[in-house]
Amino acid sequence: MTSWSATLDGVTGSGRLDRRGRAILEHMNDKPHHELSLGEFLSMRRGQLKPADVDIVDHGDRRRVPGLRREEVAQLAGVSVAYLIRLEQGLSLNASPQVLDALAAALALDETERRHLHDLSRDGRQRTNRRRLPPERVTPAIRQLLDAFGDTPAILVGRRSDVLGWTPAGHALFAGHLPFDGPSQPDRRPNTARLVFLDAHTRDLYVDWQCKARDVVGKLRLAVGEYPQDREIAALVGELSMHSPDFAKLWAQHSVRDWGLVEYRMRHPVVGEMDVLQHSLPVPRQTGMRMIVTTAASGSPSEAALKLLSHTLEPTWQVHDEDPARIR
């Protein structure tokens, strides 16, 4: 079976960028990322709003560009127009929490977007001085937690959306066409963002693929804000932008999504369509690591389909010669 990495033009087996991909990444890094993202996020959000969205009376005068004017946002937030321009241009990075909250209210940001705004506006010097993020590894305690889900589809993902582990049912539900031991090989780990945008099987797995794609991009946006020192996240964004026009279009919208709880209709090649809930549970004492657990309504046909999927699995411990010494 060919793994996801072998299907990507211009990407090596390890998932690292080739010369073209590195060029895109270097372009992204012409300015510090937090300078670009803060201004772009404010400007994009301003352009997405209509006066009626924030209770501004529109007198019908022609607007040169869509969205709110800087003057309108500045007035709502209680800041000067000149200061808002400096923020949008990345020339001012040290906005106080009070100013950020005022801008969040002026731009009608939800709680997830407000936290993202604060992440993007952290002082660049503080970000540079942060300690390096610890390597992601599956400890025995985390393995025990994963195994405890039994026949329930569950996958363990890291801060970059790499799959670090999965239950047999989780593997069968999300990526049965990939090797089961892929997550145990750091240079060959599946990545959920790559799968959604670059893998035909995963695209067919979601009835409303656009909804899933928006969620994936929104969560990756959160990761960029939370872990600005992680260059591998930036490399992933550059890679996906190069290989997927759909990703590039959604990334430019600067939308963010919380993890939490999401409902999808999935179309599995073995058990058919089902309505499922994907629960995202943070793993204790781990930076950015989450357990994604899939369930369905009790007594529903979708629950029956999930159970049927788990019953079609061959036990991973099964051997053909029944030699107890070889059973692990």
Side-chain angles (χ1 to χ4, degrees):
M1 183 69 67
T2 302
S3 68
W4 62 265
S5 58
T7 68
L8 304 184
D9 176 29
V11 182
T12 68
S14 64
R16 295 188 177 88
L17 294 177
D18 66 358
R19 183 172 58 185
R20 290 178 298 159
R22 288 195 298 272
I24 289 178
L25 179 58
E26 290 170 1
H27 175 71
M28 292 171 61
N29 288 336
D30 283 345
K31 292 183 68 178
H33 181 78
H34 54 281
E35 293 184 21
L36 290 170
S37 292
L38 173 62
E40 290 174 354
F41 181 66
L42 290 172
S43 180
M44 180 62 67
R45 182 61 180 177
R46 179 170 60 82
Q48 293 170 344
L49 290 175
K50 300 176 181 178
D53 295 331
V54 289
D55 297 326
I56 292 179
V57 177
D58 190 350
H59 298 287
D61 51 334
R62 180 173 298 179
R63 293 172 179 264
R64 291 181 298 175
V65 294
L68 299 181
R69 297 187 176 101
R70 287 194 179 104
E71 293 82 357
E72 293 167 333
V73 174
Q75 182 177 2
L76 288 170
V79 300
S80 70
V81 176
Y83 183 61
L84 180 58
I85 292 174
R86 288 179 60 82
L87 286 174
E88 288 192 356
Q89 293 180 346
L91 300 176
S92 181
L93 303 174
N94 298 318
S96 69
Q98 292 79 11
V99 167
L100 294 173
D101 286 339
L103 286 169
L107 295 170
L109 303 186
D110 62 25
E111 180 58 25
T112 299
E113 292 167 331
R114 189 191 69 82
R115 293 198 310 268
H116 183 60
L117 179 64
H118 279 264
D119 282 339
L120 293 178
S121 61
R122 290 173 188 162
D123 181 77
R125 178 177 51 79
Q126 292 178 349
R127 289 179 174 223
T128 302
N129 291 339
R130 286 181 184 176
R131 292 181 300 174
R132 294 185 60 183
L133 291 169
E136 295 179 321
R137 63 187 188 90
V138 182
T139 65
I142 296 175
R143 174 56 61 186
Q144 291 174 14
L145 176 63
L146 186 60
D147 291 343
F149 285 99
D151 291 338
T152 300
I155 63 173
L156 177 69
V157 298
R159 56 182 174 267
R160 308 181 192 100
S161 302
D162 291 334
V163 178
L164 307 178
W166 43 28
T167 63
H171 170 248
L173 176 61
F174 291 103
H177 61 305
L178 301 183
F180 181 80
D181 64 350
S184 64
Q185 306 175 46
D187 61 338
R188 304 289 292 181
R189 280 174 178 157
N191 178 280
T192 58
R194 286 193 185 99
L195 288 172
V196 166
F197 284 97
L198 303 178
D199 180 73
H201 171 89
T202 305
R203 181 181 284 260
D204 291 340
L205 195 58
Y206 291 90
V207 174
D208 188 349
W209 179 85
Q210 286 288 343
C211 176
K212 178 62 177 180
R214 287 192 296 270
D215 287 345
V216 168
V217 171
K219 293 168 184 175
L220 196 56
R221 272 282 178 196
L222 280 184
V224 167
E226 292 176 5
Y227 312 111
Q229 67 273 50
D230 193 330
R231 286 183 56 83
E232 291 189 36
I233 296 180
L236 176 63
V237 171
E239 173 192 328
L240 293 175
S241 297
M242 179 176 65
H243 289 285
S244 172
D246 290 319
F247 178 88
K249 181 179 179 180
L250 290 172
W251 187 258
Q253 296 175 7
H254 285 260
S255 297
V256 295
R257 294 283 193 279
D258 198 0
W259 287 84
L261 179 65
V262 188
E263 183 175 0
Y264 297 112
R265 170 161 288 189
M266 302 184 75
R267 185 192 298 113
H268 196 273
V270 176
V271 297
E273 289 194 8
M274 49 192 163
D275 296 311
V276 303
L277 292 174
Q278 291 183 6
H279 311 252
S280 176
L281 312 175
V283 177
R285 301 181 181 179
Q286 298 296 321
T287 303
M289 196 177 294
R290 290 181 174 271
M291 196 78 71
I292 311 300
V293 183
T294 301
T295 64
S298 179
S300 67
S302 297
E303 182 187 47
L306 284 180
K307 290 181 178 179
L308 177 61
L309 180 64
S310 66
H311 291 160
T312 63
L313 301 174
E314 180 180 358
T316 56
W317 48 263
Q318 184 172 336
V319 293
H320 296 292
D321 60 6
E322 299 184 358
D323 180 0
R326 295 184 58 187
I327 297 179
R328 298 178 182 179

